[in-house]
């Protein structure tokens, strides 16, 4: 999901600004002062999965099979 706010218009065309609600929630948890080291590691892993899925989704194209 590309963001439509004005700050993203100044970014290079190869930059993707994610507005995925799960990603935003995990980033918020990551910024929390109460997040311990174990939670930080888990959040980083989950954030990487979401960003990776978004990156793969933008590179995929559907092929219509004739059958």
């Amino acid at each position: 999901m590309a963001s439509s706010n004005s700050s993203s218009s100044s970014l290079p065309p190869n930059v993707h600004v994610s507005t995925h609600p799960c990603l935003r929630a995990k980033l918020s948890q990551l910024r929390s002062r109460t997040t311990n080291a174990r939670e930080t590691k888990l959040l980083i892993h989950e954030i990487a999965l979401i960003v990776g899925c978004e990156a793969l989704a933008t590179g995929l194209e559907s092929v219509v099979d004739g059958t």
Side-chain angles (χ1 to χ4, degrees):
M1 292 184 194
S3 177
S4 62
N5 64 19
S6 62
S7 65
S8 66
S9 63
S10 63
L11 295 173
N14 63 341
V15 173
H16 172 77
V17 178
S18 178
T19 57
H20 194 284
C22 291
L23 181 61
R24 293 173 63 115
K26 292 185 185 307
L27 287 171
S28 179
Q29 292 172 357
L30 188 61
R31 289 188 208 104
S32 173
R33 291 179 186 216
T34 61
T35 304
N36 63 33
R38 184 174 182 208
E39 291 169 329
T40 298
K41 184 177 179 181
L42 178 63
L43 286 166
I44 294 293
H45 176 75
E46 292 172 346
I47 289 168
L49 284 174
I50 294 170
V51 171
C53 287
E54 285 188 342
L56 285 173
T58 58
L60 295 177
E61 61 182 61
S62 60
V63 177
V64 178
D65 192 7
T67 59

